[in-house]
Amino acid sequence: KGIFLNKGIPVVIGETGATNKDNTVARENWAYYMGMKSAAYAVPIVIWDNGNKGNSGGECHPWLNRRKTVKEISPFPTVLNALFEGYDSVEYGYLAK
């Protein structure tokens, strides 16, 4: 905040993600926190999605299931929902004012 936002320099959290290593609760907590902080500081967030459904490793980020209906859009819906819940938990830009 002090290095960029306070000086009027735009910030985007890009290509962020939490890898699936059988740690769904930790990923939900991470997503909630990231959503909350992005909203609080009025900083857009872009979640990394490479479609890899592997169970471990650094590149397991399948947030959008492109072969399913809208009702089944994410292989990890609780993690994705936590991101949105965190974002909705604060007024957008609350800390940036």
Side-chain angles (χ1 to χ4, degrees):
K1 183 175 183 290
I3 294 173
F4 297 107
L5 296 176
N6 290 349
K7 296 175 183 172
I9 300 170
V11 174
V12 173
I13 301 171
E15 292 193 8
T16 188
T19 298
N20 178 27
K21 293 185 177 180
D22 296 324
N23 58 344
T24 301
V25 172
R27 294 172 86 206
E28 291 167 353
N29 292 337
W30 166 86
Y32 185 91
Y33 179 84
M34 293 300 290
M36 177 185 65
K37 289 299 185 181
S38 72
Y41 288 105
V43 172
I45 187 171
V46 180
I47 194 163
W48 173 244
D49 181 347
N50 65 1
N52 185 345
K53 294 189 225 174
N55 292 325
S56 65
E59 294 298 323
C60 300
H61 302 280
W63 301 109
L64 195 64
N65 189 339
R66 291 159 184 86
R67 295 189 176 129
K68 296 286 183 178
T69 65
V70 174
K71 291 181 182 178
E72 301 171 308
I73 199 160
S74 173
F76 300 102
T78 60
V79 178
L80 200 52
N81 286 340
L83 179 70
F84 297 131
E85 288 170 8
Y87 181 87
D88 289 339
S89 70
V90 295
E91 178 183 340
Y92 182 75
Y94 175 73
L95 295 176
K97 292 178 182 175

